[in-house]
Amino acid sequence: MKNQSISPYNLTFPLTSHKLVVAEKPSVGQSIAAALGVTGRKDGYMEGGGWLISWCVGHLAELAEPAAYDPDYAKWRQEDLPILPESWRFTIRAEKRSQFVIASDKM
């Protein structure tokens, strides 16, 4: 399988001919898989017939709390508002990290 850099960070990923579907939740992913005839069950996703079907479990990534930008923002003060960071940070809850890794690995 040929590798090609597809990231601005110069990471190299194997190119595949699969189509990826990321569903809202596992039951929706299973319904989509059934409609597409995908039956191969894996840990956190399904595959078959050129399809990879994964799912989220609620919000996999969330906006970081204001204190992640500045400890002074841990307590809300009107004079600090609005809080508009130059770049937004995201967090992944521990209980969702496994599914996040599975889904992002398929992209």
Side-chain angles (χ1 to χ4, degrees):
M1 185 177 303
K2 184 177 179 182
N3 290 333
Q4 178 178 343
S5 179
I6 57 172
S7 165
Y9 304 105
N10 294 320
L11 300 173
T12 302
F13 302 97
L15 294 177
T16 66
S17 59
H18 289 93
K19 296 176 198 87
L20 174 65
V21 176
V22 180
E24 171 189 10
K25 55 188 175 183
S27 62
V28 174
Q30 292 168 359
S31 294
I32 293 169
L36 295 172
V38 176
T39 58
R41 299 179 75 79
K42 306 288 182 179
D43 182 25
Y45 71 101
M46 298 179 75
E47 72 176 326
W51 291 95
L52 294 172
I53 316 256
S54 190
W55 44 81
C56 298
V57 282
H59 295 276
L60 291 183
E62 301 174 350
L63 288 173
E65 292 293 325
Y69 299 96
D70 185 330
D72 290 341
Y73 293 154
K75 183 168 174 71
W76 288 88
R77 299 179 322 161
Q78 188 171 2
E79 53 269 16
D80 292 332
L81 300 176
I83 299 170
L84 299 170
E86 288 186 30
S87 63
W88 295 93
R89 297 180 187 169
F90 296 90
T91 60
I92 302 157
R93 292 186 184 185
E95 68 270 16
K96 297 182 180 186
R97 181 162 299 282
S98 174
Q99 188 61 31
F100 179 84
V101 170
I102 290 167
S104 60
D105 182 52
K106 302 302 168 206
M107 293 183 190

